[in-house]
Coordinates of all heavy atoms in Angstrom, one line a residue:
Q32 N 99.0 205.4 -40.1 CA 99.8 206.2 -41.1 C 100.3 207.6 -40.7 O 101.3 208.1 -41.1 CB 99.0 206.2 -42.4 CG 97.7 206.9 -42.3 CD 96.5 206.0 -42.0 OE1 96.8 205.0 -41.4 NE2 95.4 206.4 -42.6
T33 N 99.4 208.2 -39.8 CA 99.7 209.5 -39.4 C 100.9 209.5 -38.3 O 101.9 210.3 -38.5 CB 98.4 210.2 -38.7 OG1 97.4 210.2 -39.6 CG2 98.8 211.6 -38.3
T34 N 100.8 208.6 -37.4 CA 101.9 208.5 -36.4 C 103.3 208.1 -37.2 O 104.4 208.4 -36.8 CB 101.4 207.5 -35.3 OG1 101.3 206.2 -35.9 CG2 100.4 208.0 -34.5
A35 N 103.1 207.3 -38.2 CA 104.2 206.8 -38.9 C 104.9 208.1 -39.6 O 106.0 208.3 -39.7 CB 104.0 205.8 -40.0
A36 N 104.1 208.8 -40.0 CA 104.5 210.1 -40.8 C 105.3 211.1 -40.0 O 106.2 211.7 -40.3 CB 103.3 210.9 -41.5
W37 N 104.9 211.0 -38.6 CA 105.7 212.0 -37.7 C 107.1 211.5 -37.6 O 107.9 212.4 -37.2 CB 105.0 211.8 -36.3 CG 103.6 212.3 -36.1 CD1 103.1 213.3 -37.1 CD2 102.7 212.1 -35.1 NE1 101.8 213.5 -36.7 CE2 101.6 212.8 -35.4 CE3 102.6 211.3 -34.1 CZ2 100.4 212.8 -34.7 CZ3 101.6 211.3 -33.3 CH2 100.4 212.0 -33.6
T38 N 107.5 210.3 -37.9 CA 108.8 209.8 -37.7 C 109.6 209.9 -38.9 O 110.8 209.6 -39.0 CB 108.9 208.4 -37.2 OG1 108.3 207.5 -38.2 CG2 108.0 208.2 -35.9
Q39 N 108.9 210.3 -40.1 CA 109.7 210.3 -41.4 C 110.5 211.5 -41.5 O 110.3 212.6 -40.8 CB 108.6 210.3 -42.5 CG 107.7 209.1 -42.6 CD 108.6 207.9 -42.9 OE1 109.5 207.8 -43.6 NE2 108.2 206.7 -42.1
P40 N 111.7 211.4 -42.3 CA 112.5 212.5 -42.6 C 111.7 213.8 -43.2 O 110.9 213.5 -43.9 CB 113.5 212.1 -43.5 CG 113.6 210.5 -43.4 CD 112.1 210.2 -43.0
T41 N 112.2 215.0 -42.7 CA 111.4 216.2 -43.1 C 111.5 216.3 -44.7 O 110.7 216.9 -45.3 CB 111.8 217.5 -42.4 OG1 113.3 217.4 -42.8 CG2 111.6 217.4 -41.1
E42 N 112.6 215.7 -45.3 CA 112.7 216.0 -46.8 C 111.6 215.4 -47.6 O 111.2 215.8 -48.5 CB 114.1 215.4 -47.3 CG 115.2 216.2 -46.8 CD 115.6 215.8 -45.3 OE1 114.9 215.0 -44.8 OE2 116.5 216.3 -44.9
E43 N 110.8 214.4 -47.0 CA 109.7 213.8 -47.7 C 108.6 214.7 -47.8 O 107.6 214.4 -48.5 CB 109.4 212.4 -47.0 CG 110.4 211.4 -47.1 CD 110.0 210.0 -46.7 OE1 108.9 209.8 -46.4 OE2 110.8 209.3 -46.4
H44 N 108.5 215.8 -46.8 CA 107.4 216.5 -47.0 C 107.5 217.9 -47.7 O 106.6 218.8 -47.5 CB 107.0 216.9 -45.3 CG 106.6 215.6 -44.6 ND1 105.4 215.0 -44.8 CD2 107.4 214.8 -43.8 CE1 105.3 213.9 -44.0 NE2 106.6 213.9 -43.4
V45 N 108.6 218.0 -48.3 CA 109.0 219.3 -49.1 C 108.2 219.1 -50.4 O 108.5 218.1 -51.0 CB 110.5 219.4 -49.2 CG1 110.7 220.7 -50.1 CG2 111.1 219.7 -47.9
M46 N 107.5 220.2 -50.9 CA 106.8 220.1 -52.2 C 108.0 220.0 -53.3 O 109.1 220.6 -53.2 CB 106.1 221.3 -52.5 CG 104.7 221.4 -51.7 SD 103.7 222.6 -52.3 CE 104.6 224.1 -52.3
D47 N 107.7 219.2 -54.3 CA 108.5 219.0 -55.4 C 108.4 220.3 -56.3 O 107.6 221.1 -56.0 CB 108.5 217.8 -56.2 CG 107.1 217.5 -56.9 OD1 106.4 218.7 -57.0 OD2 106.6 216.4 -57.1
S48 N 109.2 220.5 -57.3 CA 109.1 221.7 -58.2 C 107.8 221.8 -58.9 O 107.3 222.9 -59.1 CB 110.3 221.7 -59.2 OG 110.2 220.5 -60.1
N49 N 107.2 220.8 -59.2 CA 106.0 220.7 -60.0 C 104.8 221.4 -59.1 O 104.1 222.2 -59.4 CB 105.5 219.5 -60.5 CG 106.4 219.0 -61.7 OD1 106.9 219.8 -62.3 ND2 106.5 217.7 -61.9
D50 N 104.8 220.8 -57.8 CA 103.8 221.3 -56.9 C 104.0 223.0 -56.6 O 103.1 223.6 -56.5 CB 104.1 220.7 -55.5 CG 103.5 219.2 -55.5 OD1 102.7 218.9 -56.5 OD2 104.0 218.3 -54.8
T51 N 105.4 223.2 -56.5 CA 105.7 224.6 -56.3 C 105.2 225.5 -57.4 O 104.6 226.7 -57.3 CB 107.2 224.8 -56.0 OG1 107.6 224.1 -54.9 CG2 107.4 226.5 -55.7
Q52 N 105.4 225.1 -58.7 CA 105.0 226.0 -59.8 C 103.3 226.0 -59.9 O 102.8 227.0 -60.2 CB 105.6 225.3 -61.0 CG 107.0 225.3 -61.1 CD 107.6 224.6 -62.3 OE1 106.9 223.8 -63.0 NE2 109.0 224.6 -62.5
L53 N 102.7 224.8 -59.6 CA 101.3 224.8 -59.6 C 100.7 225.9 -58.5 O 99.8 226.5 -58.8 CB 100.8 223.4 -59.4 CG 101.0 222.4 -60.7 CD1 100.7 221.1 -60.2 CD2 100.2 223.0 -61.9
A54 N 101.3 225.7 -57.3 CA 100.9 226.5 -56.2 C 101.1 228.1 -56.6 O 100.1 228.9 -56.4 CB 101.4 226.4 -55.0
A55 N 102.2 228.4 -57.3 CA 102.5 229.7 -57.7 C 101.6 230.3 -58.8 O 101.4 231.5 -58.9 CB 103.8 229.9 -58.0
S56 N 100.9 229.3 -59.5 CA 100.1 229.7 -60.6 C 98.7 230.1 -60.2 O 98.0 230.7 -61.0 CB 99.9 228.5 -61.6 OG 99.1 227.5 -61.1
V57 N 98.3 229.8 -58.9 CA 97.1 230.3 -58.5 C 97.3 231.8 -57.9 O 98.0 232.1 -57.1 CB 96.7 229.5 -57.1 CG1 95.3 229.9 -56.7 CG2 96.5 227.9 -57.7
K58 N 96.4 232.7 -58.5 CA 96.6 234.1 -58.4 C 95.5 234.7 -57.6 O 94.5 233.9 -57.2 CB 96.7 234.8 -59.6 CG 97.9 234.3 -60.6 CD 98.0 235.2 -61.9 CE 99.0 234.7 -62.7 NZ 100.3 234.9 -62.2
G59 N 95.8 235.9 -57.0 CA 94.5 236.6 -56.3 C 94.4 236.1 -54.9 O 93.4 236.2 -54.4
L60 N 95.5 235.5 -54.2 CA 95.5 235.1 -52.9 C 96.4 236.0 -51.9 O 96.5 235.8 -50.7 CB 95.8 233.7 -52.7 CG 94.9 232.7 -53.3 CD1 95.3 231.3 -53.1 CD2 93.4 232.9 -52.7
S61 N 97.1 236.9 -52.6 CA 98.1 237.7 -51.7 C 98.0 239.2 -52.2 O 97.9 239.5 -53.3 CB 99.5 237.2 -51.9 OG 100.5 237.9 -51.1
M62 N 98.5 240.1 -51.2 CA 98.6 241.5 -51.5 C 99.9 241.9 -52.1 O 100.2 242.9 -52.4 CB 98.3 242.4 -50.2 CG 99.3 242.2 -49.1 SD 98.7 243.2 -47.7 CE 100.2 242.9 -46.6
E63 N 100.9 240.8 -52.1 CA 102.1 241.1 -52.6 C 102.5 239.9 -53.7 O 102.2 238.8 -53.5 CB 103.2 241.0 -51.6 CG 104.6 241.4 -52.0 CD 105.4 240.3 -52.4 OE1 105.0 239.1 -52.1 OE2 106.4 240.4 -53.2
Q64 N 103.1 240.4 -54.8 CA 103.7 239.3 -55.8 C 104.7 239.9 -56.6 O 104.6 241.1 -57.0 CB 102.5 238.9 -56.7 CG 102.9 237.9 -57.7 CD 101.8 237.5 -58.5 OE1 100.5 237.7 -58.3 NE2 102.1 236.9 -59.8
D65 N 105.8 239.3 -56.6 CA 106.9 239.7 -57.5 C 107.5 241.0 -57.1 O 107.9 241.7 -58.1 CB 106.6 239.8 -59.0 CG 106.2 238.3 -59.5 OD1 106.4 237.4 -58.9 OD2 105.5 238.3 -60.6
G66 N 107.5 241.3 -55.9 CA 108.1 242.6 -55.4 C 107.2 243.7 -55.5 O 107.4 244.9 -55.1
F67 N 105.7 243.5 -55.8 CA 104.8 244.6 -55.8 C 103.8 244.4 -54.8 O 103.3 243.3 -54.6 CB 104.2 244.7 -57.3 CG 105.2 245.1 -58.3 CD1 105.9 243.9 -59.0 CD2 105.4 246.3 -58.7 CE1 106.7 244.3 -60.1 CE2 106.3 246.6 -59.6 CZ 107.0 245.6 -60.4
L68 N 103.4 245.5 -54.2 CA 102.5 245.5 -53.1 C 101.3 246.3 -53.2 O 101.4 247.5 -53.6 CB 103.2 245.8 -51.6 CG 102.5 246.0 -50.4 CD1 102.1 244.6 -49.9 CD2 103.2 246.8 -49.4
L69 N 100.1 245.7 -53.0 CA 98.9 246.5 -53.0 C 98.7 247.2 -51.6 O 98.6 246.6 -50.7 CB 97.6 245.6 -53.4 CG 96.3 246.2 -53.2 CD1 96.2 247.4 -54.2 CD2 95.3 245.2 -53.5
G70 N 98.8 248.6 -51.6 CA 98.7 249.2 -50.4 C 97.4 249.2 -49.8 O 96.4 248.7 -50.3
E71 N 97.2 249.7 -48.5 CA 96.0 249.7 -47.8 C 94.9 250.5 -48.7 O 95.2 251.5 -49.3 CB 96.2 250.4 -46.5 CG 95.0 250.2 -45.6 CD 95.2 250.9 -44.1 OE1 96.3 251.1 -43.7 OE2 94.2 251.1 -43.5
I72 N 93.5 249.9 -48.6 CA 92.7 250.5 -49.5 C 91.8 251.4 -48.6 O 91.2 250.9 -47.5 CB 91.7 249.4 -50.2 CG1 92.7 248.7 -51.1 CG2 90.7 250.1 -50.9 CD1 92.1 247.4 -51.6
S73 N 91.7 252.7 -48.9 CA 90.7 253.5 -48.1 C 89.5 253.5 -48.9 O 89.4 253.6 -50.2 CB 91.2 254.9 -48.0 OG 91.4 255.5 -49.3
S74 N 88.3 253.5 -48.1 CA 87.1 253.4 -48.9 C 85.9 253.9 -47.9 O 86.2 254.0 -46.6 CB 86.7 252.1 -49.4 OG 86.5 251.1 -48.3
P75 N 84.7 254.3 -48.2 CA 83.7 254.5 -47.1 C 83.5 253.4 -46.2 O 83.6 252.2 -46.5 CB 82.4 254.6 -48.1 CG 82.9 255.1 -49.5 CD 84.2 254.4 -49.6
G76 N 83.3 253.7 -44.9 CA 83.3 252.7 -43.9 C 82.0 252.1 -43.7 O 81.9 250.9 -43.3
L77 N 80.9 252.7 -44.3 CA 79.6 252.2 -44.2 C 79.0 251.9 -45.5 O 79.3 252.5 -46.5 CB 78.6 253.2 -43.4 CG 79.1 253.5 -41.9 CD1 78.2 254.7 -41.4 CD2 78.9 252.3 -41.1

Side-chain angles (χ1 to χ4, degrees):
Q32 61 268 31
T33 302
T34 55
W37 292 343
T38 64
Q39 297 299 315
T41 57
E42 288 78 8
E43 293 186 13
H44 299 283
V45 177
M46 287 195 301
D47 61 26
S48 59
N49 290 334
D50 290 335
T51 302
Q52 292 172 1
L53 288 168
S56 69
V57 179
K58 300 181 181 296
L60 293 178
S61 175
M62 65 184 184
E63 184 274 340
Q64 183 180 340
D65 299 343
F67 296 93
L68 175 70
L69 175 60
E71 184 175 351
I72 298 170
S73 64
S74 66
L77 297 173

